[in-house]
Amino acid sequence: MIYLNDDIAGFDFEAALPQLSEQRREQALKFKFELGRKTCAAVYLLLCEGLRREYGIMEPPVFEYGEHGKPHLVGHPDIHFNMSHCREGALCVLSNRPVGVDIESVREFKDSLVRYTMNEQEVRQIEQAERPDVEFIRLWTMKEAVLKYSGRGIVDDLKHVLDEIDASMLTTVVGPEARYVYSIYQ
C-alpha cells in the first residue's frame, strides 16, 4: 500500500514529536534544517498510519538496520516497507514482500552527474526528452528504488542498475509542472 504526504509545508513538526518513537525522534532532531526534521517525521507517521490500517499495529515502530542501512521492523520480519522523502513530499510503501522506493524533487542537474550515473542509452533518453530534468529524476528514482529494494544502497556502478531488473516498477511524475517523481520497485 502506498502512503504519500506532499504537504510538507503544512506539516506540524511540533505536534508530530510526541507521536514518534524515541529512536525516530532522535533521528529527526539530528537534522540541521526544519525541512529535514519535518520530512523525517512525516515519513515515519506515514509508516505508522500504514501499520495501523494494514496490520492493526498501534505501537510506534522501532527499526533495526541491515548491513547497508535498510530498515526493518523489530518484531515483524514478515512486514516489508520502504520510505523516502524530499522537499516536496514523504513516501512510504508497505508490502508482504520486499520493496524499494524513492521520491525526488525535480530540479536542475549537472551534465557530469548524468554522465557518471547513466549509461549511454539513458543519456540519450534524457537528451531527447521534452523535459530532460524530469527524465533524469525519473531514471534516478528508478535506480534508487532498485538499490533500496536490494538493501545495497548506492553502489559504485550506477550506470547498470536498471539493466536486469526482474520485478515490477511503478514511476509517477506528480504535478502539472512536474514537482516531483517517485518510483516503487517490487
Side-chain angles (χ1 to χ4, degrees), residues 20-177:
L20 306 180
S21 68
E22 182 178 334
Q23 178 190 47
R24 193 60 174 196
R25 189 176 317 112
E26 287 175 10
Q27 188 176 8
L29 291 171
K30 287 181 183 178
F31 282 88
K32 182 178 180 178
F33 297 106
E34 179 185 28
L35 179 61
R37 291 188 296 270
K38 281 182 161 187
T39 56
C40 181
V43 76
Y44 181 83
L45 292 182
L46 291 174
L47 174 62
C48 291
E49 178 184 350
L51 291 171
R52 275 191 312 275
R53 287 184 181 189
E54 307 298 321
Y55 299 97
I57 297 172
M58 304 305 283
E59 70 272 1
V62 176
F63 305 139
E64 57 188 4
Y65 296 91
E67 179 183 351
H68 298 287
K70 185 173 182 171
H72 304 277
L73 297 175
V74 171
H76 301 282
D78 55 326
I79 299 174
H80 299 274
F81 73 98
N82 206 234
M83 306 181 300
S84 183
H85 52 80
C86 66
R87 71 176 179 259
E88 300 292 335
L91 174 69
C92 178
V93 175
L94 287 97
S95 179
N96 60 357
R97 60 184 202 209
V99 61
V101 303
D102 190 43
I103 183 171
E104 298 287 340
S105 302
V106 174
R107 61 192 177 281
E108 288 186 44
F109 59 87
K110 294 181 181 180
D111 189 58
S112 60
L113 181 60
V114 171
R115 305 251 175 238
Y116 180 73
T117 60
M118 304 292 161
N119 63 39
E120 289 179 25
Q121 178 186 344
E122 293 164 344
V123 170
R124 280 193 302 278
Q125 278 179 244
I126 293 166
E127 291 173 344
Q128 295 171 358
E130 185 177 320
R131 291 275 313 269
D133 56 342
V134 173
E135 186 63 12
F136 172 73
I137 295 298
R138 187 183 75 79
L139 289 166
W140 177 262
T141 62
M142 291 170 67
K143 290 177 185 240
E144 185 81 13
V146 169
L147 293 170
K148 289 176 73 178
Y149 167 91
S150 70
R152 291 184 295 170
I154 299 295
V155 294
D156 291 334
D157 185 13
L158 292 170
K159 292 182 179 186
H160 300 286
V161 170
L162 300 178
D163 287 355
E164 296 182 25
I165 59 173
D166 61 355
S168 67
M169 179 78 71
L170 166 71
T171 301
T172 304
V173 178
V174 178
E177 297 172 11

